[in-house]
Amino acid sequence: MDLTHRPRRLRRDGVRSLVSEVDLSASDLIAPLFVDATTDERQPIESMPGHERVPVDEAVARVEEIRETGVEAVIVFGIPESKDDRGSRAWAEDGVVQRAVRAITAETDAYVITDVCLCEYTDHGHCGLIEDAAAESPDLTVRNDETLDLLGKIAASHAEAGAEMIAPSGMMDGMVGAIRERLDADGFTDVPIMSYAAKYESAFYGPFRDAADGAPAFGDRRHYQMDPANAREAMREVELDVEQGADVLMVKPALPYLDVVSAIRREYDHPVAAYNVSGEYAMLHAAAEKGWLDLEGAAYESLLSIKRAGADLILTYFAEDIADRL
Ligand code: PBG
């Protein structure tokens, strides 16, 4: 028996951390924040224990809580006071995200990213303009090109309010280019774009759709979000976003798509982000509640695995809890 090679030598206390390949740090994490124009009080989100929708007046206080844990960046989602077929509250100067971002950037040092999409603002709940909302067809077509102009308007209104990074999540073809062009035309040449470049049509978004009230009223998102069967297609999606000027490339969800994270890591020099989504959070909480697994351990291992696969930054609902522990 030749035991010249004993990998266990490097697993002893004292040396383990010297040879560890990746580290998790609070500065890698982005905490999602839900600001709700329909409420005066913080509303717990049932399917996401520990998370709340907060009124605009509480946005600063909520960000300060996040910052106290060591997390420095937030991504803001808005629940508007009203919805219509075009999602016009998404680019309103006094819209929920615009008001919250103005307050957060004026009163805190947080790095503020905004999600740019129409689904929380349209009465039909889709991420773009649709052909004929009244038909309520499950085989609906989102009007890609007409939606681009609106995404540019939303992005510019967020930047105007002080957003420091723009994250378009609607999976419209050409969205990064349209937003880059509009930001540049309005003088926001220094505001980077983190593209939801490979965003899959996933069952793991369930709790988020309760949280942000953005479930489609009919049909689904399979004609614009990616088919979970496809990894090579993700490389084409990413390539297009790179050509259009994306600064950070995101994969979403994270854990079921670590192959995609790692393939992008190998092919591109850009920072890679992964979104550890609401369903990934909710399932660990549900199992922990039953006593079936250790929440903190499972959450830490999940985030470490996402980094190991090649992500530089992670958007996660565990941000505060894990940062606190680090
Ligand atoms: C909006 C958006 C969604 C998420 C982030 N931005 C929902 C969706 O596409 O249905 C999901 C985030 C999560 O599940 O945590 N387009």
Side-chain angles (χ1 to χ4, degrees), residues 206-286:
F208 175 93
R209 290 178 184 175
D210 297 335
D213 192 22
F218 51 88
D220 54 40
R221 305 208 207 284
R222 72 183 187 283
H223 299 299
Y224 43 104
Q225 298 180 346
M226 285 181 58
D227 183 343
N230 297 353
R232 293 190 300 267
E233 185 191 352
M235 303 312 275
R236 297 203 296 279
E237 276 283 1
V238 166
E239 183 60 26
L240 291 170
D241 287 5
V242 166
E243 283 166 14
Q244 292 166 41
D247 299 280
V248 180
L249 306 169
M250 192 208 296
V251 176
K252 176 183 175 193
L255 293 176
Y257 299 92
L258 292 184
D259 57 328
V260 178
V261 172
S262 106
I264 296 173
R265 170 74 299 147
R266 281 194 303 273
E267 291 287 321
Y268 293 90
D269 294 336
H270 296 62
V272 176
Y275 199 141
N276 178 232
V277 301
S278 58
E280 298 176 67
Y281 178 81
M283 66 184 178
L284 295 194
H285 267 274

Side-chain angles (χ1 to χ4, degrees), residues 132-275:
D132 180 8
E136 305 209 344
S137 159
D139 206 27
L140 63 98
T141 315
V142 167
R143 292 156 69 165
N144 190 89
D145 301 11
E146 282 126 274
T147 301
L148 295 181
D149 190 41
L150 301 184
L151 297 178
K153 272 163 80 154
I154 301 170
S157 76
H158 287 179
E160 188 74 52
E164 290 159 299
M165 182 185 271
I166 299 294
S169 65
M171 287 302 279
M172 296 299 124
D173 293 338
M175 68 180 182
V176 172
I179 289 173
R180 184 72 272 158
E181 205 174 296
R182 178 64 194 256
L183 288 174
D184 290 353
D186 286 15
F188 300 112
T189 50
D190 288 336
V191 173
I193 297 174
M194 172 163 65
S195 178
Y196 288 68
K199 176 172 176 180
Y200 287 88
E201 204 250 338
S202 171
F204 289 95
Y205 305 151
F208 175 93
R209 290 178 184 175
D210 297 335
D213 192 22
F218 51 88
D220 54 40
R221 305 208 207 284
R222 72 183 187 283
H223 299 299
Y224 43 104
Q225 298 180 346
M226 285 181 58
D227 183 343
N230 297 353
R232 293 190 300 267
E233 185 191 352
M235 303 312 275
R236 297 203 296 279
E237 276 283 1
V238 166
E239 183 60 26
L240 291 170
D241 287 5
V242 166
E243 283 166 14
Q244 292 166 41
D247 299 280
V248 180
L249 306 169
M250 192 208 296
V251 176
K252 176 183 175 193
L255 293 176
Y257 299 92
L258 292 184
D259 57 328
V260 178
V261 172
S262 106
I264 296 173
R265 170 74 299 147
R266 281 194 303 273
E267 291 287 321
Y268 293 90
D269 294 336
H270 296 62
V272 176
Y275 199 141

